Amino acid sequence: MILPIIGYGDPVLRKTGEVVSKEHENLKETIANMYDTMYNAYGVGLAAPQVGLALRLFVIDTTPFSDDEELGDAEQKELKGFKKTFINAKMINEEGEEWSFNEGCLSIPDVREDVSRNPTITIEYCEEDFVMKTEVFDGLIARVIQHEYDHIEGILFTDKISSLKKRLIQKKLKNILEGKTFQEYRMKFFAKKGR
């Protein structure tokens, strides 16, 4: 089922996600709905707060990045079909020289900015089987994970840009808050009149 994506300004996007238990009601259905919602909006990642749930849960599928001809064959191959569910993720380490990449977010439509992040991460998480894993990721996969991990910590990519850039996008953010934006997927806006 496709869920509405929560727009910028909603308090749920600023909450630290709660730990997900094995017994969490409708967990499999929630995860399936999150994938459906992400694909419907042509996203590569979606975190639970973006569908109104303050949980430590996010899903990613980097396949759309595999078509980027600027990437090498090995990286394209790695990105194709990289689909994973992260439950109760905990960032262990972020390392390497930060690099910049133009990021966007389904909760903040029509806003894209360069964000600097470390190229390599070590993260601890469970998939749907609740077996804890610790893995190292790098490149674009690491970046997508970092972006979604920030969501479960109540952080948005716009928090990571300069104050000048924040001032330049202020009007766009206000329009999103009030629902004065158009996108081809369902959204729910915090301050939309008559909602």
Side-chain angles (χ1 to χ4, degrees):
M1 182 171 76
I2 294 163
L3 307 169
I5 291 174
I6 303 299
Y8 175 87
D10 193 299
V12 74
L13 295 174
R14 293 302 187 179
K15 289 183 178 166
T16 303
E18 293 173 21
V19 170
V20 180
S21 74
K22 253 187 203 175
E23 295 75 37
H24 188 87
E25 200 177 338
N26 302 327
L27 182 60
K28 281 196 180 328
E29 186 185 339
T30 298
I31 291 167
N33 290 345
M34 284 174 64
Y35 276 110
D36 288 347
T37 303
M38 177 181 76
Y39 292 136
N40 180 66
Y42 301 103
V44 293
L46 189 70
Q50 293 180 276
V51 292
L53 304 169
L55 298 173
R56 297 192 73 76
L57 165 65
F58 59 90
V59 298
I60 72 170
D61 186 341
T62 61
T63 302
F65 283 146
S66 67
D67 295 336
D68 188 339
E69 290 166 7
E70 289 181 25
L71 301 173
D73 289 347
E75 195 168 8
Q76 281 183 331
K77 194 173 174 184
E78 189 181 22
L79 291 162
K80 192 169 188 69
F82 185 90
K83 177 182 173 179
K84 210 174 262 295
T85 302
F86 290 79
I87 300 171
N88 300 331
K90 184 177 177 207
M91 194 67 74
I92 306 298
N93 198 14
E94 295 171 278
E95 58 192 335
E97 192 177 323
E98 287 192 352
W99 62 292
S100 194
F101 186 82
N102 196 256
E103 292 189 21
C105 177
L106 297 176
S107 292
I108 315 174
D110 302 325
V111 175
R112 297 195 65 85
E113 292 293 339
D114 288 344
V115 177
S116 291
R117 297 188 188 271
N118 301 94
T120 305
I121 61 166
T122 305
I123 192 166
E124 190 179 86
Y125 70 100
C126 301
E127 287 185 276
E128 289 178 58
D129 56 9
F130 275 85
V131 174
M132 190 59 84
K133 302 175 170 184
T134 303
E135 284 191 90
V136 176
F137 297 101
D138 57 20
L140 275 174
I141 289 172
R143 178 170 290 274
V144 174
I145 293 169
Q146 286 166 307
H147 179 108
E148 299 310 326
Y149 182 83
D150 279 352
H151 274 299
I152 66 171
E153 293 290 329
I155 298 166
L156 300 174
F157 85 95
T158 49
D159 299 339
K160 296 180 174 286
I161 62 176
S162 71
S163 49
L164 170 65
K165 284 190 173 170
K166 277 184 193 149
R167 280 199 302 275
L168 293 173
I169 62 169
Q170 223 33 58
K171 177 96 172 101
K172 278 186 178 179
L173 295 179
K174 185 175 184 288
N175 284 343
I176 296 166
L177 182 71
E178 295 173 356
K180 296 175 185 169
T181 180
F182 175 77
Q183 61 296 316
E184 296 195 359
Y185 50 90
R186 280 176 61 212
M187 285 192 79
K188 197 170 170 186
F189 301 102
F190 185 65
K192 187 173 182 176
K193 302 267 190 285
R195 67 182 203 128

